[in-house]
Amino acid sequence: MQMGTFLEVGISLAVMYAMLGLMCTTVNELLATFLKFRSNNLKGAILQLIDNQQLYRSFYNHGIIKSELEMTAKQPVPTKQPDASQLQNAVPNPATDPGDAKKPLAKDAPGKHTSYMDSKTFALALLDSLDTSKPITSVQEALEIANKLPQSNIRDIMLNALSDAGQDLQKARDSIAGWFDGAMDRLSGQYKRDMQKVTLLLGLLLAVILNADSFSVTRELWRNATIRAEIVQKAANIPSNEITNTCAREPQDQQETCGIKLLNKRLADLAPLPLGWNLNAVTADRAGLLYLLLKIPGLLATALAISLGAPFWFDLLQKFMDIRGTGKKPEPKEKS
Protein backbone atom coordinates (compact mmCIF):
# COMPACT_ATOMS: atom_id res chain seq x y z
CA MET A 1 0.00 0.00 0.00
CA GLN A 2 2.73 2.48 1.01
CA MET A 3 4.82 1.67 -2.06
CA GLY A 4 1.81 2.20 -4.31
CA THR A 5 1.10 5.56 -2.67
CA PHE A 6 4.73 6.63 -3.05
CA LEU A 7 4.64 5.76 -6.76
CA GLU A 8 1.35 7.55 -7.36
CA VAL A 9 2.59 10.70 -5.60
CA GLY A 10 5.81 10.53 -7.64
CA ILE A 11 3.84 10.10 -10.87
CA SER A 12 1.58 13.04 -9.99
CA LEU A 13 4.52 15.34 -9.21
CA ALA A 14 6.31 14.25 -12.40
CA VAL A 15 3.17 15.12 -14.40
CA MET A 16 3.00 18.54 -12.73
CA TYR A 17 6.67 19.32 -13.37
CA ALA A 18 6.53 17.98 -16.93
CA MET A 19 3.48 20.08 -17.85
CA LEU A 20 4.90 23.18 -16.20
CA GLY A 21 8.17 22.52 -18.02
CA LEU A 22 6.32 22.31 -21.34
CA MET A 23 4.56 25.58 -20.53
CA CYS A 24 7.96 27.18 -19.93
CA THR A 25 9.19 25.76 -23.25
CA THR A 26 6.20 27.27 -25.06
CA VAL A 27 6.71 30.68 -23.42
CA ASN A 28 10.44 30.49 -24.22
CA GLU A 29 9.64 29.85 -27.89
CA LEU A 30 7.26 32.82 -27.99
CA LEU A 31 9.84 35.07 -26.34
CA ALA A 32 12.62 33.86 -28.63
CA THR A 33 10.43 34.53 -31.67
CA PHE A 34 9.08 37.96 -30.80
CA LEU A 35 12.24 39.29 -29.12
CA LYS A 36 14.41 37.68 -31.85
CA PHE A 37 16.86 36.13 -29.38
CA ARG A 38 18.51 33.80 -31.90
CA SER A 39 18.87 36.29 -34.75
CA ASN A 40 20.15 39.03 -32.42
CA ASN A 41 22.66 36.61 -30.90
CA LEU A 42 23.96 35.66 -34.36
CA LYS A 43 24.10 39.29 -35.45
CA GLY A 44 26.08 40.20 -32.32
CA ALA A 45 28.43 37.24 -32.81
CA ILE A 46 29.26 38.19 -36.42
CA LEU A 47 29.80 41.79 -35.28
CA GLN A 48 32.54 40.46 -32.99
CA LEU A 49 33.96 37.86 -35.38
CA ILE A 50 34.47 40.24 -38.33
CA ASP A 51 36.23 42.95 -36.34
CA ASN A 52 37.19 45.06 -39.34
CA GLN A 53 34.67 47.72 -40.36
CA GLN A 54 35.41 47.72 -44.09
CA LEU A 55 35.32 43.93 -44.38
CA TYR A 56 32.19 43.75 -42.21
CA ARG A 57 30.29 46.16 -44.46
CA SER A 58 31.53 44.39 -47.56
CA PHE A 59 30.41 41.05 -46.11
CA TYR A 60 26.83 42.23 -45.53
CA ASN A 61 26.72 43.70 -49.03
CA HIS A 62 27.61 40.32 -50.57
CA GLY A 63 24.82 38.97 -52.77
CA ILE A 64 24.47 35.64 -50.91
CA ILE A 65 24.18 37.33 -47.51
CA LYS A 66 21.81 40.01 -48.78
CA SER A 67 19.52 37.39 -50.32
CA GLU A 68 19.33 35.52 -46.99
CA LEU A 69 18.50 38.73 -45.14
CA GLU A 70 15.88 39.65 -47.73
CA MET A 71 14.22 36.25 -47.27
CA THR A 72 14.16 36.88 -43.52
CA ALA A 73 12.91 40.46 -43.79
CA LYS A 74 10.62 39.64 -46.76
CA GLN A 75 11.73 42.90 -48.38
CA PRO A 76 14.84 44.23 -50.18
CA VAL A 77 17.83 45.04 -47.96
CA PRO A 78 19.39 48.45 -48.73
CA THR A 79 23.10 48.52 -49.50
CA LYS A 80 25.19 49.79 -46.59
CA GLN A 81 27.25 52.73 -47.76
CA PRO A 82 30.55 53.86 -46.24
CA ASP A 83 30.85 57.03 -44.18
CA ALA A 84 31.35 60.40 -45.88
CA SER A 85 35.05 60.19 -45.05
CA GLN A 86 35.28 57.03 -47.16
CA LEU A 87 34.33 56.24 -50.76
CA GLN A 88 31.17 57.99 -51.87
CA ASN A 89 28.20 56.12 -53.37
CA ALA A 90 30.04 52.80 -53.50
CA VAL A 91 30.09 49.49 -51.67
CA PRO A 92 33.17 49.26 -49.38
CA ASN A 93 35.98 47.37 -51.15
CA PRO A 94 38.83 46.17 -48.88
CA ALA A 95 40.94 45.36 -51.98
CA THR A 96 41.27 49.03 -52.93
CA ASP A 97 40.61 50.65 -49.55
CA PRO A 98 41.48 48.40 -46.58
CA GLY A 99 40.51 51.24 -44.24
CA ASP A 100 41.88 51.68 -40.75
CA ALA A 101 41.73 49.55 -37.62
CA LYS A 102 38.15 50.57 -36.80
CA LYS A 103 35.85 47.86 -35.54
CA PRO A 104 32.31 47.65 -36.89
CA LEU A 105 29.60 49.36 -34.88
CA ALA A 106 26.08 48.19 -34.06
CA LYS A 107 24.71 50.73 -36.54
CA ASP A 108 26.66 48.95 -39.32
CA ALA A 109 24.61 45.78 -38.76
CA PRO A 110 21.49 45.10 -40.83
CA GLY A 111 18.08 45.67 -39.26
CA LYS A 112 16.48 42.23 -39.58
CA HIS A 113 18.84 39.30 -39.38
CA THR A 114 18.56 35.60 -40.09
CA SER A 115 18.71 33.32 -37.04
CA TYR A 116 20.97 30.79 -38.79
CA MET A 117 23.85 31.04 -41.24
CA ASP A 118 25.54 28.08 -42.89
CA SER A 119 29.29 27.97 -42.25
CA LYS A 120 30.10 27.32 -45.92
CA THR A 121 28.00 30.32 -46.94
CA PHE A 122 29.79 32.44 -44.35
CA ALA A 123 33.25 31.34 -45.57
CA LEU A 124 32.40 31.86 -49.24
CA ALA A 125 30.97 35.34 -48.64
CA LEU A 126 33.84 36.36 -46.35
CA LEU A 127 36.58 35.52 -48.86
CA ASP A 128 34.61 37.08 -51.71
CA SER A 129 34.22 40.23 -49.60
CA LEU A 130 37.97 40.87 -49.85
CA ASP A 131 37.36 42.25 -53.33
CA THR A 132 33.88 43.42 -54.28
CA SER A 133 34.91 44.34 -57.83
CA LYS A 134 35.61 40.78 -59.00
CA PRO A 135 35.58 37.18 -57.73
CA ILE A 136 38.51 35.84 -55.69
CA THR A 137 39.95 33.04 -57.83
CA SER A 138 43.21 32.09 -56.08
CA VAL A 139 44.74 31.78 -52.64
CA GLN A 140 47.58 34.13 -53.60
CA GLU A 141 45.13 36.86 -54.60
CA ALA A 142 43.24 36.53 -51.30
CA LEU A 143 46.52 36.53 -49.34
CA GLU A 144 47.70 39.77 -50.93
CA ILE A 145 44.47 41.58 -50.05
CA ALA A 146 44.26 40.10 -46.53
CA ASN A 147 47.84 41.23 -45.83
CA LYS A 148 46.81 44.83 -46.56
CA LEU A 149 44.06 44.79 -43.95
CA PRO A 150 44.80 46.58 -40.67
CA GLN A 151 45.59 44.41 -37.65
CA SER A 152 42.49 42.54 -36.45
CA ASN A 153 41.43 39.08 -35.32
CA ILE A 154 39.63 38.33 -38.58
CA ARG A 155 42.78 39.25 -40.52
CA ASP A 156 44.80 36.73 -38.50
CA ILE A 157 42.14 34.03 -39.00
CA MET A 158 42.07 34.57 -42.76
CA LEU A 159 45.86 34.68 -43.08
CA ASN A 160 46.22 31.41 -41.15
CA ALA A 161 43.54 29.70 -43.24
CA LEU A 162 45.00 30.95 -46.52
CA SER A 163 48.60 30.13 -45.56
CA ASP A 164 47.69 26.56 -44.60
CA ALA A 165 45.64 26.04 -47.77
CA GLY A 166 48.60 26.04 -50.17
CA GLN A 167 47.05 26.66 -53.58
CA ASP A 168 43.66 25.14 -52.68
CA LEU A 169 41.10 27.94 -52.25
CA GLN A 170 38.41 25.45 -51.24
CA LYS A 171 40.62 24.23 -48.38
CA ALA A 172 40.87 27.82 -47.15
CA ARG A 173 37.07 28.15 -47.27
CA ASP A 174 36.70 24.87 -45.35
CA SER A 175 39.14 26.09 -42.70
CA ILE A 176 37.22 29.33 -42.22
CA ALA A 177 33.95 27.37 -42.16
CA GLY A 178 35.35 25.12 -39.41
CA TRP A 179 36.39 28.16 -37.38
CA PHE A 180 32.89 29.64 -37.81
CA ASP A 181 31.27 26.34 -36.72
CA GLY A 182 33.40 26.38 -33.56
CA ALA A 183 32.31 29.93 -32.81
CA MET A 184 28.65 28.96 -33.36
CA ASP A 185 29.03 25.97 -31.02
CA ARG A 186 30.23 28.31 -28.30
CA LEU A 187 27.41 30.72 -29.08
CA SER A 188 24.89 27.88 -28.89
CA GLY A 189 26.27 26.82 -25.51
CA GLN A 190 25.97 30.38 -24.19
CA TYR A 191 22.44 30.65 -25.59
CA LYS A 192 21.41 27.45 -23.80
CA ARG A 193 22.87 28.74 -20.52
CA ASP A 194 21.02 32.02 -20.94
CA MET A 195 17.76 30.24 -21.70
CA GLN A 196 18.29 28.03 -18.65
CA LYS A 197 18.26 31.19 -16.52
CA VAL A 198 15.14 32.40 -18.32
CA THR A 199 13.49 29.02 -17.71
CA LEU A 200 14.29 29.23 -14.00
CA LEU A 201 12.71 32.69 -13.77
CA LEU A 202 9.68 31.60 -15.82
CA GLY A 203 9.37 28.48 -13.66
CA LEU A 204 9.31 30.62 -10.52
CA LEU A 205 6.76 32.96 -12.10
CA LEU A 206 4.51 30.04 -13.09
CA ALA A 207 4.86 28.48 -9.66
CA VAL A 208 3.80 31.74 -7.99
CA ILE A 209 0.88 32.38 -10.37
CA LEU A 210 -0.49 28.83 -10.01
CA ASN A 211 0.59 28.38 -6.37
CA ALA A 212 2.45 25.24 -7.44
CA ASP A 213 3.97 24.71 -3.99
CA SER A 214 5.72 21.33 -4.19
CA PHE A 215 5.39 20.65 -0.45
CA SER A 216 1.69 21.48 -0.06
CA VAL A 217 0.86 19.67 -3.33
CA THR A 218 2.72 16.59 -2.06
CA ARG A 219 0.80 16.68 1.26
CA GLU A 220 -2.55 16.96 -0.53
CA LEU A 221 -1.66 14.16 -2.95
CA TRP A 222 -0.64 11.90 -0.07
CA ARG A 223 -4.00 12.45 1.64
CA ASN A 224 -6.27 12.32 -1.42
CA ALA A 225 -6.33 8.99 -3.27
CA THR A 226 -9.01 10.23 -5.68
CA ILE A 227 -6.79 12.98 -7.06
CA ARG A 228 -3.84 10.58 -7.31
CA ALA A 229 -5.90 8.06 -9.26
CA GLU A 230 -7.17 10.73 -11.67
CA ILE A 231 -3.67 12.04 -12.38
CA VAL A 232 -2.19 8.56 -12.79
CA GLN A 233 -4.94 7.78 -15.31
CA LYS A 234 -4.12 11.02 -17.16
CA ALA A 235 -0.41 10.12 -17.12
CA ALA A 236 -1.16 6.76 -18.73
CA ASN A 237 -2.94 8.55 -21.60
CA ILE A 238 -0.29 11.18 -22.35
CA PRO A 239 0.72 10.78 -26.04
CA SER A 240 4.29 9.66 -26.65
CA ASN A 241 4.89 12.69 -28.89
CA GLU A 242 3.66 15.21 -26.32
CA ILE A 243 7.16 16.49 -25.61
CA THR A 244 7.78 17.25 -29.30
CA ASN A 245 4.47 19.05 -29.70
CA THR A 246 5.75 22.62 -29.99
CA CYS A 247 5.15 25.68 -32.16
CA ALA A 248 8.73 25.99 -33.39
CA ARG A 249 7.88 24.71 -36.88
CA GLU A 250 4.77 26.84 -37.28
CA PRO A 251 4.90 29.94 -39.53
CA GLN A 252 5.90 33.02 -37.53
CA ASP A 253 2.51 34.70 -37.96
CA GLN A 254 0.79 31.63 -36.48
CA GLN A 255 3.13 30.97 -33.55
CA GLU A 256 1.28 33.24 -31.13
CA THR A 257 -2.06 31.48 -31.73
CA CYS A 258 -0.36 28.07 -31.55
CA GLY A 259 1.40 29.02 -28.30
CA ILE A 260 -1.81 30.17 -26.63
CA LYS A 261 -3.57 26.93 -27.62
CA LEU A 262 -0.72 24.87 -26.20
CA LEU A 263 -0.68 26.85 -22.95
CA ASN A 264 -4.42 26.31 -22.52
CA LYS A 265 -3.95 22.59 -23.16
CA ARG A 266 -1.18 22.36 -20.55
CA LEU A 267 -3.40 24.16 -18.03
CA ALA A 268 -6.17 21.66 -18.71
CA ASP A 269 -3.71 18.80 -18.11
CA LEU A 270 -2.88 20.35 -14.73
CA ALA A 271 -6.57 20.62 -13.76
CA PRO A 272 -6.77 17.62 -11.35
CA LEU A 273 -3.79 18.85 -9.32
CA PRO A 274 -4.42 20.84 -6.10
CA LEU A 275 -3.17 24.17 -7.48
CA GLY A 276 -4.39 27.74 -7.06
CA TRP A 277 -4.36 30.25 -4.25
CA ASN A 278 -6.63 30.22 -1.22
CA LEU A 279 -7.41 33.93 -1.19
CA ASN A 280 -9.06 33.67 2.20
CA ALA A 281 -5.68 32.71 3.70
CA VAL A 282 -3.89 35.68 2.09
CA THR A 283 -4.59 38.37 4.67
CA ALA A 284 -2.77 41.47 5.89
CA ASP A 285 -2.29 40.13 9.41
CA ARG A 286 0.44 37.94 10.91
CA ALA A 287 -1.29 34.71 9.92
CA GLY A 288 -1.46 35.79 6.28
CA LEU A 289 2.21 36.78 6.27
CA LEU A 290 3.20 33.46 7.81
CA TYR A 291 1.13 31.64 5.16
CA LEU A 292 3.03 33.42 2.38
CA LEU A 293 6.45 32.91 4.00
CA LEU A 294 5.83 29.17 4.33
CA LYS A 295 5.05 29.08 0.61
CA ILE A 296 8.50 30.34 -0.44
CA PRO A 297 10.48 27.06 -0.03
CA GLY A 298 7.85 25.04 -1.91
CA LEU A 299 7.63 27.55 -4.76
CA LEU A 300 11.44 27.65 -5.09
CA ALA A 301 11.55 23.84 -5.12
CA THR A 302 9.02 23.83 -7.98
CA ALA A 303 11.02 26.40 -9.95
CA LEU A 304 14.19 24.34 -9.58
CA ALA A 305 12.34 21.19 -10.64
CA ILE A 306 10.95 22.93 -13.74
CA SER A 307 14.44 24.17 -14.67
CA LEU A 308 15.51 20.53 -15.11
CA GLY A 309 13.39 20.54 -18.26
CA ALA A 310 10.34 18.67 -19.47
CA PRO A 311 12.39 15.82 -21.09
CA PHE A 312 13.86 14.91 -17.69
CA TRP A 313 10.42 14.65 -16.09
CA PHE A 314 8.90 12.73 -19.00
CA ASP A 315 11.72 10.19 -18.75
CA LEU A 316 11.21 9.89 -15.00
CA LEU A 317 7.45 9.65 -15.48
CA GLN A 318 7.92 6.78 -17.91
CA LYS A 319 10.12 4.95 -15.39
CA PHE A 320 7.52 5.44 -12.65
CA MET A 321 4.79 4.11 -14.94
CA ASP A 322 6.92 1.12 -15.90
CA ILE A 323 7.54 0.28 -12.22
CA ARG A 324 3.87 0.71 -11.36
CA GLY A 325 2.83 -1.48 -14.29
CA THR A 326 5.21 -4.29 -13.37
CA GLY A 327 3.34 -6.99 -11.59
CA LYS A 328 4.36 -10.33 -10.22
CA LYS A 329 6.19 -12.39 -12.79
CA PRO A 330 4.14 -15.36 -13.99
CA GLU A 331 5.23 -18.77 -12.78
CA PRO A 332 7.08 -20.77 -15.45
CA LYS A 333 5.01 -23.57 -16.93
CA GLU A 334 5.98 -27.04 -15.90
CA LYS A 335 7.46 -29.10 -18.66
CA SER A 336 5.25 -32.03 -19.56
Side-chain angles (χ1 to χ4, degrees), residues 16-17 20 23-24 199-217 267 270 274-279 282 291-306:
M16 181 177 78
Y17 296 144
L20 289 174
M23 290 177 72
C24 279
T199 299
L200 181 60
L201 292 175
L202 284 175
L204 182 58
L205 182 63
L206 271 176
V208 171
I209 292 173
L210 298 175
N211 187 25
D213 175 354
S214 290
F215 301 144
S216 63
V217 168
L267 282 173
L270 289 170
L275 304 176
W277 287 95
N278 178 10
L279 297 180
V282 183
Y291 170 77
L292 292 175
L293 287 175
L294 291 175
K295 285 287 179 184
I296 293 175
L299 295 174
L300 288 175
T302 301
L304 289 172
I306 294 172

Side-chain angles (χ1 to χ4, degrees), residues 1 35 66 76 96 101 103 129 155 179 195 209 236 239 245 252 302 309 322:
M1 176 66 181
L35 297 181
K66 285 186 69 176
T96 56
K103 292 186 177 181
S129 299
R155 175 182 181 271
W179 166 73
M195 293 311 294
I209 292 173
N245 186 14
Q252 187 169 340
T302 301
D322 289 343

